[in-house]
Amino acid sequence: MSKSSDFTILPSHVGVIMDGNGRWAKLRNLPRTAGHKEGAETFRKIANYACDLGIPVITFYAFSTENWSRPELEVNAIMDLFRDYLDEAKERQAENEERGMRVRFIGDLTGLDADIFEMAMGLTDLSSDKTRITVNVAVNYGGRQEILKSVKEIASRIQGGEIVPDDIDINMISDGLYTANLPDPDLIIRPSGEYRLSNFLTWQSAYSEFWFSDILWPDFTEEDFDEALRAFEKRNRRFGGI
Ligand code: IPE
Ligand code: IPE
Ligand code: MG
């Protein structure tokens, strides 16, 4: 495990696609739900570690808009894990705030069960002055759907006569996303041996660096996170320049 001073540069925002829970369970002859349970523990561990390192924003992809296509039993088990985490986050709110950590759920929360929606909104409302670190948990999140949401909001403003089409710019679209006011992800981590974004931070990842690994999410450690940060340190980001 490292400390922030071990790195010459830390990303301002890290995105993490928490993938491989099902395969982790299968390898152990366990039900897929056991993989999700273990994955939720890994999430707690890495979120705390990122907070200790002082990474200003970290976004964990927990459930996509496409994940509803899974068996009901699996979806329900995942939703129960969100309930557990939301209960815990509420209980630890004071402690987290003391650490300067703010937990938010992002995505189309209206598509979730009412109790989860309410608990998630409760968290989202609580922004404290002490916020040093934002932990986003992306639930019922889809990058394309998020862009669509922003575009619709802009269209309404045009319809209301507030703006004209020519006023639309990149910032206006960014401001309508769940990540408004947050930096774009500098680094996106995807374990489990898949090399794709799967509808994660579609707009925001235009200039992200990627780190892929075969490790299955439940096996992911602080050392793996360090390795991703080390790789990031060595990247030469040009943003189209020379
Ligand atoms: C990620 O693990 C968790 C969610 C998408 C909810 P998976 O459940 O996708 O695990 P694999 O990819 O089947 O191994
Ligand atoms: C991406 O994983 C979504 C989350 C980790 C929440 P998936 O397992 O759903 O992605 P695909 O289906 O392999 O692209
Ligand atoms: Mg998967």
Side-chain angles (χ1 to χ4, degrees):
M1 283 210 249
S2 305
K3 48 191 188 310
S4 58
S5 56
D6 295 341
F7 298 95
T8 52
I9 183 168
L10 278 174
S12 300
H13 182 177
V14 177
V16 184
I17 302 175
M18 304 192 284
D19 197 16
N21 294 348
R23 280 163 284 172
W24 181 92
K26 195 170 179 214
L27 280 171
R28 287 160 182 78
N29 286 316
L30 294 168
R32 290 179 58 86
T33 50
H36 295 311
K37 195 159 189 278
E38 197 63 27
E41 290 307 318
T42 306
F43 155 72
R44 287 173 171 85
K45 177 178 76 183
I46 300 300
N48 284 325
Y49 184 51
C51 182
D52 292 342
L53 282 177
I55 294 189
V57 185
I58 184 159
T59 302
F60 291 91
Y61 200 10
F63 193 84
S64 75
T65 43
E66 289 72 39
N67 287 147
W68 295 108
S69 64
R70 295 183 179 207
E72 202 182 327
L73 217 74
E74 178 170 346
V75 170
N76 288 343
I78 295 170
M79 293 300 148
D80 281 342
L81 290 169
F82 294 146
R83 286 187 175 90
D84 291 346
Y85 182 69
L86 282 161
D87 275 338
E88 190 184 307
K90 198 175 163 207
E91 247 170 61
R92 296 223 176 127
Q93 200 176 290
E95 190 188 313
N96 283 345
E97 270 189 36
E98 211 41 59
R99 295 178 73 189
M101 180 166 139
R102 174 169 76 129
V103 179
R104 306 195 301 158
F105 272 39
I106 63 166
D108 181 8
L109 305 182
T110 61
L112 303 171
D113 285 350
D115 64 321
I116 302 184
F117 172 78
E118 260 152 48
M119 283 196 276
M121 288 311 283
L123 271 188
T124 306
D125 287 344
L126 291 156
S127 75
S128 119
D129 298 342
K130 286 190 214 144
T131 302
R132 196 169 51 90
I133 280 127
T134 300
V135 176
N136 292 317
V137 185
V139 175
N140 194 20
Y141 174 90
R144 286 181 168 178
Q145 290 82 344
E146 183 188 33
I147 296 169
L148 194 62
K149 166 183 116 61
S150 180
V151 168
K152 282 184 180 171
E153 285 166 9
I154 294 169
S156 304
R157 290 175 64 191
I158 293 175
Q159 198 177 31
E162 193 191 323
I163 52 168
V164 296
D166 216 35
D167 293 330
I168 303 173
D169 62 9
I170 294 206
N171 287 332
M172 203 181 281
I173 296 177
S174 296
D175 287 346
L177 305 178
Y178 301 115
T179 51
N181 302 317
L182 297 177
D184 284 338
D186 294 307
L187 171 67
I188 293 181
I189 295 175
R190 181 161 196 166
S192 92
E194 310 294 356
Y195 300 87
R196 53 177 174 263
L197 270 177
S198 304
N199 210 8
F200 184 50
L201 302 178
T202 309
W203 173 272
Q204 300 90 329
S205 60
Y207 271 102
S208 300
E209 296 294 327
F210 291 88
W211 189 80
F212 296 104
S213 148
D214 287 340
I215 303 153
L216 301 173
W217 176 251
D219 289 328
F220 198 91
T221 63
E222 290 96 336
E223 285 72 23
D224 296 318
F225 195 72
D226 282 349
E227 203 185 317
L229 294 176
R230 292 257 170 261
F232 174 76
E233 249 182 345
K234 295 195 191 85
R235 302 282 172 91
N236 178 7
R237 306 182 77 195
R238 286 184 288 276
F239 299 99
I242 53 168

